[in-house]
Amino acid sequence: MYRERVRNAALLERITSADEAAKLIRDGMTVGMSGFTRAGEAKAVPMALAERAKTDPLKITLITGASLGNDLDKTMAEAHLLARRIPFQADPALRRAINDGEVMFVDQHLSETVEMLRTRQLGPVDVAVIEAVAITEDGGIVPTTSVGNSASFAILADKVIVEINLAQPDTLEGLHDIYIPSYRPARMPIPIVSPESRVGMPYIPIDPDKIAAIVVTEKLDSSSTILPPDEDTQAIAGHLSEFLQHEVKAGRLTNTLQPLQAGIGTIANAVMHGLIDTPFHNLKMYSEVLQDSTFDLFDAGKLDFASGSSITVSAERYQTVLEDLARYKSRLVLRPQEISNHPEVVRRLGIIGINTALEFDIYGNVNSTHVGGTKMMNGIGGSGDFARNGYMSIFVTKSTAKDDVISSVVPMVSHVDHNEHDVDVLITEYGLADLRGLAPRERAPLIIANCVHPAYREQLGDYYRRAVARGGHTPHVIEEALSWHGRLRETGSMKI
Amino acid sequence: MYRERVRNAALLERITSADEAAKLIRDGMTVGMSGFTRAGEAKAVPMALAERAKTDPLKITLITGASLGNDLDKTMAEAHLLARRIPFQADPALRRAINDGEVMFVDQHLSETVEMLRTRQLGPVDVAVIEAVAITEDGGIVPTTSVGNSASFAILADKVIVEINLAQPDTLEGLHDIYIPSYRPARMPIPIVSPESRVGMPYIPIDPDKIAAIVVTEKLDSSSTILPPDEDTQAIAGHLSEFLQHEVKAGRLTNTLQPLQAGIGTIANAVMHGLIDTPFHNLKMYSEVLQDSTFDLFDAGKLDFASGSSITVSAERYQTVLEDLARYKSRLVLRPQEISNHPEVVRRLGIIGINTALEFDIYGNVNSTHVGGTKMMNGIGGSGDFARNGYMSIFVTKSTAKDDVISSVVPMVSHVDHNEHDVDVLITEYGLADLRGLAPRERAPLIIANCVHPAYREQLGDYYRRAVARGGHTPHVIEEALSWHGRLRETGSMKI
């Protein structure tokens, strides 16, 4: 079967074992691996590397698209294989190693990593390891369920290892649109003018001589770990839908809205799912990860087209999406994350970005990454590419966490990923705050009234009143601004 | 003389006094006025409005390009004319009214204001007041020393008041390139592919019937208030030059660098001036404000071309630049600030952005706006457009302020305008920290060693060591993170 997938006959002789291929990777190297939010990651070579590290200690800098599935980040972290990890992860074991200071984690906007590699501000990439459904006659690599940074890794690396995954359906071929911006200073505009624009090639074009090894695998992607919508996420979806309908009534949007982007995870997925029961129609997505809700919206006849950088669905959805891809293929495209998240395209298309906050403050600053201001959760991901440059930037979260001992709305966030300038709308299950055109002193009362859990409303109102008494454009009782986080640390609760 | 400037004969009859024209502006209106960093602001109508407000109280929302000269923001603030002010200011009296909560200030990325107006997320603009050197035969408005947001104000407003300023040299005509992005979702790429690209018209095209009044003025722009380079700013310029030469040696840049952007003010101007004594040549600027240093670089034969949104020079420079504009005109273009700062163009051209920080922290987060976390200084301006989207983002500041009682490097900034993801290089007079590709635990020792004033180095090192003992990706002693600001407030110094 792999002979049909490796269509360049000369390359057949480079087929080898994962252990052999992994020998191309040596201590101190920078390795670029495919994989974007549990989709399309190289599966065999990283396992072989981790196994080898048990007896032959080595450390690498690992750059990916985003998070990996199949517990690969866990396995590599536990094998102490990772000196440096770029630009995103979502694994508890790796997170622990990062927070312990063992792994140096460089948390980047997802559109920026390859731009830094291309300009040699990062790198160079010694070896790329790319999962593929096929290699074309002239050596082009056809990615699987994600593009991520794979194209630039393969183009920039000295050597490329391709993992041909027989478990990934060959119908994936033709889904991808590989466009690489030209080198500056002679760069031309990216010709994408709508989510369905196809402007590149269906495979990654590289010199076949760079393909140093091919490994045949047949392991599936991990399923997504999202939870089904619950009462709170349905309430959040309801507030969003009501708000967008109000925008339509005010003449600022039509019922086809603007192209939508949704962050990774349960809440954003539930919010997108919630669009099924709305008057909106002929929607388009220009997003990163296409989750279950994308296909729910297709099935409900609400969505016309979806552009992303990966497909990451639940176990239940796997059959209907990946085993029956033809149903959706004409309405889908997967792009490099540099393009799915590119400021140029995000601004041109006028994306409505919906992302998840860990916490936000009374002035609309958002923390997406750091628990208690210090401990890394996953990373900023692509949220900053969309929040800064899109038409409208919406952040959603539940109003509390851990049985209400943590308020998601605080006097001052303990870490800022998205500041007041980039946050237009905030939503919790209690309500929505539309911050557009408002000064800080107008935002705070609105956020406190609309978004805060009742258990914290008076406490936050009290803080704000005392802050205003001190004055300032953005009033704070500065020595108390982070006291909620200190109290949580000392007493186990933010409550006074 | 004004007959030569108002070339549409039918419009001559709309010439009137500032007082009469100002009557078009009524209580509660939103007014868009020309003006970008003390250049090209409407001068007579705002004065007439402020005078009228003394006896006939009225409040308006005032949107401009950026800050105004001729003490206009002061005069309007003191007349209590301003209910709301968008998107930037730099006046002590207005700043006081903002910090007292009298004026609602909406602090925006400078590229975003007109995008929000165009989509009616702000506004509508009732009246635009635009300074011009001329009105063309078909009613086109030729701006003066700035474009700012003037074009979109005139296009979007119901009525337009034009101030024909006879003191502004008519040689300004032909300097401007007015390009307005098309409406989404049918927006095409902005065709700018280098700083010298001319893609629009030399005037603002509007229906002449919208020009409701014309006022003739002859007041000069205010001079810039920048101070000459001093020992510290020369040291900062030296560190930058050395760093850029290192980048050239490493093969990441050539001696023509990438197009340069420089923030407003003394330090950024001094740093740009410092490029005169370097091996760099054939430089180009794609910036907002063209200050003295732009023309110093032209005169030194270092600069080939400069694109900006305004020309703001010192009194000494006025004669050589504005009275003798022909010397420079072929190497200059002034654009709408939406375009000078557009994420699409900034990313495509690969700008090196050099902006000023109020303070930064040991992890590279930058505060550009809020003194002590609460009091607004000027606003974020365009720095966020460049820092997020450019090739490289550099922030400069002196290591201390106010006779060393304030350290510009702190454990945690009291307000975040640019977060760790957007800050590549930090420079003070003591040295430079190159943060590219580094994790927080690598950045902190580098920043402490290279950038901090000796009086605070041990104090900051002590904080960092205790923070690391607690763990985390970005270690903090959270209850102490803002204690330097609290101590300054209580004791008058950040020193222990």
Side-chain angles (χ1 to χ4, degrees):
Chain A
M1 183 175 172
Y2 65 79
R3 288 182 172 268
E4 292 158 27
R5 300 274 189 118
V6 180
R7 303 204 294 261
N8 178 313
L11 289 175
L12 282 169
E13 66 190 32
R14 304 207 188 141
I15 293 176
T16 182
S17 69
D19 288 342
E20 276 305 308
K23 285 185 184 158
L24 292 168
I25 298 168
R26 296 191 306 275
D27 188 46
M29 277 189 168
T30 295
V31 181
M33 288 192 191
S34 66
F36 191 94
T37 57
R38 306 168 75 80
E41 76 277 350
K43 296 171 178 72
V45 172
M47 289 303 278
L49 267 183
E51 192 56 35
R52 178 174 126 209
K54 287 181 187 165
T55 54
D56 170 19
L58 79 163
K59 293 272 189 197
I60 62 170
T61 291
L62 175 62
I63 315 181
T64 59
S67 57
L68 305 179
N70 283 302
D71 282 341
L72 286 171
D73 265 325
K74 171 182 156 75
T75 306
M76 287 188 280
E78 289 176 351
H80 306 289
L81 180 61
L82 305 176
R84 189 174 297 273
R85 183 76 176 83
I86 304 171
F88 189 83
Q89 57 76 41
D91 179 80
L94 175 53
R95 190 181 292 153
R96 200 155 43 237
I98 289 167
N99 287 319
D100 287 347
E102 185 197 327
V103 177
M104 294 294 103
F105 176 52
V106 185
D107 178 21
Q108 296 185 316
H109 299 301
L110 293 187
S111 82
E112 291 194 349
T113 306
V114 298
E115 197 83 273
M116 292 197 77
L117 287 171
R118 188 178 295 129
T119 52
R120 288 165 287 172
Q121 297 184 87
L122 272 184
V125 179
D126 298 298
V127 179
V129 190
I130 311 295
E131 182 177 91
V133 275
I135 298 176
T136 65
E137 290 72 4
D138 49 3
I141 300 171
V142 181
T144 61
T145 43
S146 70
V147 181
N149 287 323
S150 300
S152 287
F153 289 158
I155 290 166
L156 295 170
D158 295 333
K159 291 180 179 172
V160 179
I161 302 171
V162 177
E163 292 194 2
I164 295 287
N165 188 336
L166 302 178
Q168 296 276 24
D170 57 8
T171 47
L172 284 165
E173 191 167 348
L175 193 63
H176 314 92
D177 185 56
I178 310 296
Y179 176 90
I180 304 290
S182 46
Y183 275 78
R184 297 181 291 214
R187 184 175 292 180
M188 290 292 113
I190 300 172
I192 294 172
V193 295
S194 77
E196 53 268 57
S197 294
R198 280 191 168 268
V199 298
M201 301 170 76
Y203 53 79
I204 302 166
I206 62 162
D207 177 357
D209 281 349
K210 285 214 312 189
I211 299 179
I214 297 171
V215 179
V216 178
T217 72
E218 40 193 332
K219 198 169 202 173
L220 289 178
D221 284 345
S222 301
S223 308
S224 83
T225 53
I226 51 165
L227 304 170
D230 62 20
E231 206 174 304
D232 287 346
T233 58
Q234 278 167 354
I236 293 170
H239 298 310
L240 176 64
S241 159
E242 193 183 331
F243 166 75
L244 292 172
Q245 289 180 60
H246 174 263
E247 291 295 294
V248 173
K249 276 200 201 97
R252 289 189 283 268
L253 289 172
T254 69
N255 269 327
T256 59
L257 301 178
Q258 297 273 131
L260 299 163
Q261 173 263 339
I264 304 165
T266 297
I267 301 181
N269 185 64
V271 167
M272 290 300 287
H273 184 91
L275 292 174
I276 290 175
D277 303 314
T278 63
F280 309 124
H281 56 79
N282 296 101
L283 300 173
K284 293 180 184 178
M285 291 185 72
Y286 193 85
S287 195
E288 303 168 311
V289 190
L290 305 181
Q291 305 177 85
D292 283 19
S293 52
T294 299
F295 301 94
D296 299 342
L297 286 165
F298 274 134
D299 291 352
K302 287 292 188 183
L303 189 64
D304 280 358
F305 197 88
S307 165
S309 193
S310 82
I311 295 174
T312 307
V313 290
S314 65
E316 301 77 59
R317 260 293 182 186
Y318 187 85
Q319 260 188 326
T320 51
V321 173
L322 280 159
E323 295 183 4
D324 194 13
L325 194 62
R327 285 173 64 197
Y328 302 105
K329 199 169 169 185
S330 65
R331 293 173 286 169
L332 287 176
V333 62
L334 294 186
R335 308 179 189 278
Q337 69 197 67
E338 177 184 21
I339 304 298
S340 64
N341 290 33
H342 202 288
E344 172 174 339
V345 183
V346 169
R347 178 80 167 241
R348 181 180 305 141
L349 299 186
I351 307 295
I352 295 177
I354 304 165
N355 290 287
T356 306
L358 262 187
E359 62 176 4
F360 58 82
D361 68 27
I362 55 173
Y363 298 113
N365 300 287
V366 167
N367 174 7
S368 307
T369 56
H370 281 68
V371 176
T374 63
K375 290 206 160 39
M376 173 55 57
M377 197 64 195
N378 300 335
I380 192 168
S383 52
D385 294 317
F386 293 97
R388 176 69 50 94
N389 298 308
Y391 165 86
M392 188 192 287
S393 155
I394 299 168
F395 283 88
V396 295
T397 184
K398 296 190 183 190
S399 68
T400 60
K402 307 219 166 173
D403 293 328
D404 304 342
V405 299
I406 295 173
S407 174
S408 306
V409 194
V410 292
M412 179 187 270
V413 288
S414 55
H415 180 90
V416 176
D417 291 293
H418 308 286
N419 60 37
E420 43 161 355
H421 312 283
D422 293 335
V423 179
D424 294 318
V425 175
L426 291 169
I427 318 182
T428 68
E429 73 276 22
Y430 284 97
L432 179 148
D434 175 5
L435 309 178
R436 294 172 298 171
L438 298 187
R441 287 181 189 229
E442 297 169 307
R443 290 182 217 160
L446 194 66
I447 291 171
I448 295 171
N450 292 7
C451 300
V452 177
H453 189 282
Y456 291 97
R457 214 172 282 158
E458 177 46 34
Q459 191 175 324
L460 211 43
D462 174 63
Y463 175 86
Y464 178 64
R465 281 186 296 276
R466 289 184 292 112
V468 166
R470 284 204 183 172
H473 174 62
T474 303
H476 271 299
V477 182
I478 198 76
E479 68 276 15
E480 218 184 279
L482 296 174
S483 63
W484 291 36
H485 303 87
R487 188 158 53 243
L488 174 66
R489 196 174 172 278
E490 281 160 32
T491 72
S493 170
M494 284 186 174
K495 287 181 192 153
I496 292 179
Chain B
M1 184 175 169
Y2 65 79
R3 288 179 173 272
E4 293 159 25
R5 299 274 189 117
V6 182
R7 302 203 295 260
N8 179 313
L11 288 175
L12 284 170
E13 66 189 33
R14 302 204 190 143
I15 293 176
T16 183
S17 69
D19 288 344
E20 276 303 309
K23 285 183 184 160
L24 292 167
I25 298 168
R26 296 191 307 275
D27 188 46
M29 277 188 167
T30 294
V31 181
M33 288 192 192
S34 65
F36 191 94
T37 56
R38 306 167 76 79
E41 76 277 350
K43 295 172 178 75
V45 172
M47 289 303 278
L49 266 183
E51 193 55 35
R52 178 174 125 209
K54 286 182 188 167
T55 54
D56 170 19
L58 80 163
K59 294 272 190 197
I60 63 170
T61 291
L62 175 62
I63 314 180
T64 60
S67 56
L68 305 179
N70 283 301
D71 281 341
L72 286 171
D73 265 326
K74 171 184 158 74
T75 306
M76 287 187 280
E78 289 177 349
H80 305 291
L81 180 61
L82 305 176
R84 189 173 297 272
R85 182 75 176 84
I86 305 170
F88 189 83
Q89 57 76 42
D91 178 81
L94 174 53
R95 190 180 292 153
R96 200 155 45 234
I98 288 167
N99 287 319
D100 287 348
E102 184 198 329
V103 176
M104 294 294 103
F105 177 52
V106 186
D107 177 22
Q108 296 184 316
H109 299 300
L110 293 187
S111 82
E112 291 194 348
T113 307
V114 298
E115 197 82 273
M116 292 196 78
L117 287 171
R118 187 178 295 127
T119 53
R120 287 165 290 172
Q121 297 184 87
L122 272 184
V125 179
D126 298 297
V127 179
V129 190
I130 310 297
E131 183 177 88
V133 274
I135 299 176
T136 65
E137 289 71 4
D138 51 1
I141 299 171
V142 181
T144 61
T145 43
S146 71
V147 180
N149 287 323
S150 299
S152 286
F153 289 157
I155 290 166
L156 295 170
D158 294 333
K159 291 180 179 171
V160 179
I161 302 171
V162 177
E163 293 194 2
I164 296 286
N165 188 336
L166 302 179
Q168 297 277 23
D170 57 8
T171 47
L172 284 164
E173 190 166 348
L175 193 65
H176 314 92
D177 185 56
I178 310 296
Y179 176 91
I180 305 291
S182 47
Y183 274 78
R184 297 181 290 215
R187 184 175 292 179
M188 290 291 112
I190 299 172
I192 293 173
V193 295
S194 77
E196 54 268 58
S197 294
R198 279 190 169 269
V199 299
M201 301 169 77
Y203 53 80
I204 303 166
I206 62 162
D207 177 357
D209 282 349
K210 285 214 312 190
I211 299 180
I214 297 171
V215 178
V216 178
T217 71
E218 41 193 332
K219 197 169 200 171
L220 289 177
D221 284 344
S222 301
S223 307
S224 83
T225 53
I226 51 166
L227 303 169
D230 62 19
E231 206 174 302
D232 287 345
T233 58
Q234 279 167 354
I236 292 170
H239 298 309
L240 175 64
S241 159
E242 193 184 330
F243 166 74
L244 291 173
Q245 289 180 60
H246 174 263
E247 291 296 293
V248 173
K249 276 199 201 99
R252 288 189 283 268
L253 288 172
T254 68
N255 269 328
T256 58
L257 302 177
Q258 296 274 131
L260 299 163
Q261 173 264 337
I264 304 165
T266 297
I267 300 181
N269 184 65
V271 166
M272 290 300 288
H273 183 92
L275 292 174
I276 290 176
D277 303 314
T278 63
F280 308 124
H281 56 78
N282 298 98
L283 300 173
K284 293 180 185 179
M285 291 185 73
Y286 193 85
S287 196
E288 303 169 310
V289 189
L290 305 181
Q291 304 178 87
D292 282 19
S293 53
T294 299
F295 301 94
D296 299 342
L297 285 165
F298 274 134
D299 291 352
K302 287 291 189 184
L303 189 64
D304 279 359
F305 198 88
S307 165
S309 194
S310 81
I311 296 174
T312 307
V313 290
S314 64
E316 300 77 60
R317 259 294 182 186
Y318 187 85
Q319 261 188 325
T320 51
V321 172
L322 281 159
E323 295 182 5
D324 193 12
L325 195 63
R327 284 174 65 196
Y328 301 106
K329 200 167 168 184
S330 65
R331 293 174 284 169
L332 288 176
V333 62
L334 295 186
R335 308 180 189 277
Q337 69 196 66
E338 178 183 19
I339 303 299
S340 64
N341 289 33
H342 202 289
E344 172 174 340
V345 183
V346 169
R347 178 80 167 243
R348 181 181 306 142
L349 299 186
I351 307 295
I352 297 176
I354 304 165
N355 290 287
T356 307
L358 262 187
E359 62 176 5
F360 58 81
D361 68 27
I362 55 174
Y363 298 112
N365 300 288
V366 167
N367 174 7
S368 308
T369 55
H370 282 68
V371 175
T374 63
K375 290 203 161 39
M376 173 54 58
M377 198 65 194
N378 300 334
I380 192 169
S383 53
D385 294 317
F386 293 98
R388 175 69 49 94
N389 299 308
Y391 165 87
M392 188 192 288
S393 155
I394 298 167
F395 283 88
V396 295
T397 185
K398 296 189 183 189
S399 69
T400 60
K402 307 218 168 177
D403 293 328
D404 303 343
V405 300
I406 295 173
S407 173
S408 306
V409 195
V410 292
M412 179 187 271
V413 287
S414 56
H415 181 90
V416 177
D417 291 292
H418 308 286
N419 60 37
E420 43 160 353
H421 312 283
D422 294 334
V423 179
D424 294 318
V425 174
L426 291 169
I427 317 181
T428 68
E429 73 276 22
Y430 283 97
L432 179 148
D434 175 5
L435 308 178
R436 293 174 299 171
L438 298 187
R441 287 180 188 230
E442 297 169 307
R443 290 182 217 160
L446 194 66
I447 291 171
I448 294 171
N450 292 8
C451 300
V452 177
H453 189 283
Y456 291 97
R457 214 172 281 159
E458 177 45 34
Q459 191 175 323
L460 211 43
D462 174 63
Y463 175 87
Y464 178 64
R465 281 187 295 277
R466 288 183 294 112
V468 167
R470 284 204 184 173
H473 174 62
T474 303
H476 271 299
V477 182
I478 197 77
E479 68 277 15
E480 217 183 284
L482 296 174
S483 64
W484 291 34
H485 303 87
R487 188 157 52 243
L488 174 66
R489 198 175 171 277
E490 281 161 31
T491 71
S493 170
M494 284 187 174
K495 287 180 192 156
I496 290 179

